[in-house]
């Protein structure tokens, strides 16, 4: 007969596995959203800071060196989400400048 503590430990293990899988899926979705902006980031007039943010966030998500251990992907989610917001706002600003009539 198993000891009562093993039931709790098994439940915690399942919860931990679910959290890891969900955060990994979120990281993949955010990384795909970032990669889809590749062509827009390389258009003329996009500042270097947006390009650095673009590449930096992708490299941070891929490299094994993180602020938090790799099974905990909260830092990767934060970096990718912040970069998506920043790059998106810069790209909107650049497209507005392009659509303004000259003169």
């Amino acid at each position: 007969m198993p000891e009562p503590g093993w039931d709790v430990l098994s439940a915690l293990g399942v919860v931990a596995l679910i959290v890891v899988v969900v955060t990994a899926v979120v990281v993949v979705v955010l990384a795909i959203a970032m990669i889809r902006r590749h062509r827009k980031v390389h258009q003329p007039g996009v500042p270097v800071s947006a390009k650095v943010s673009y590449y930096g966030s992708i490299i941070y998500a891929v490299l094994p060196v993180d602020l938090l251990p790799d099974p905990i992907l909260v830092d990767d989610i934060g970096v990718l989400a912040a970069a998506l917001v920043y790059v998106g706002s810069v790209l909107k600003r650049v497209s507005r400048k392009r659509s303004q009539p000259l003169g």
Side-chain angles (χ1 to χ4, degrees):
M1 182 171 205
E3 295 181 31
W6 286 107
D7 293 337
V8 173
L9 192 58
S10 296
L12 287 175
V14 169
V15 169
L17 180 64
I18 290 171
V19 168
V20 168
V21 169
V22 167
T23 57
V25 168
V26 171
V27 166
V28 168
V29 167
L30 290 173
I32 289 171
M34 181 61 85
I35 291 169
R36 286 186 176 171
R37 288 171 168 69
H38 180 78
R39 288 188 183 191
K40 291 182 181 180
V41 168
H42 291 288
Q43 292 178 352
V46 175
V48 174
S49 61
K51 294 175 185 179
V52 169
S53 178
Y54 171 81
Y55 283 111
S57 65
I58 293 172
I59 290 169
Y60 185 83
V62 172
L63 286 180
V65 178
D66 285 342
L67 294 175
L68 298 173
D70 239 6
I72 304 169
L73 300 172
V74 177
D75 58 333
D76 294 345
I77 291 171
V79 168
L80 283 169
L84 271 170
V85 169
Y86 176 70
V87 170
S89 68
V90 168
L91 292 176
K92 283 181 187 176
R93 229 179 307 137
V94 168
S95 69
R96 272 191 236 127
K97 285 182 183 179
R98 284 190 190 139
S99 64
Q100 289 178 351
L102 294 175

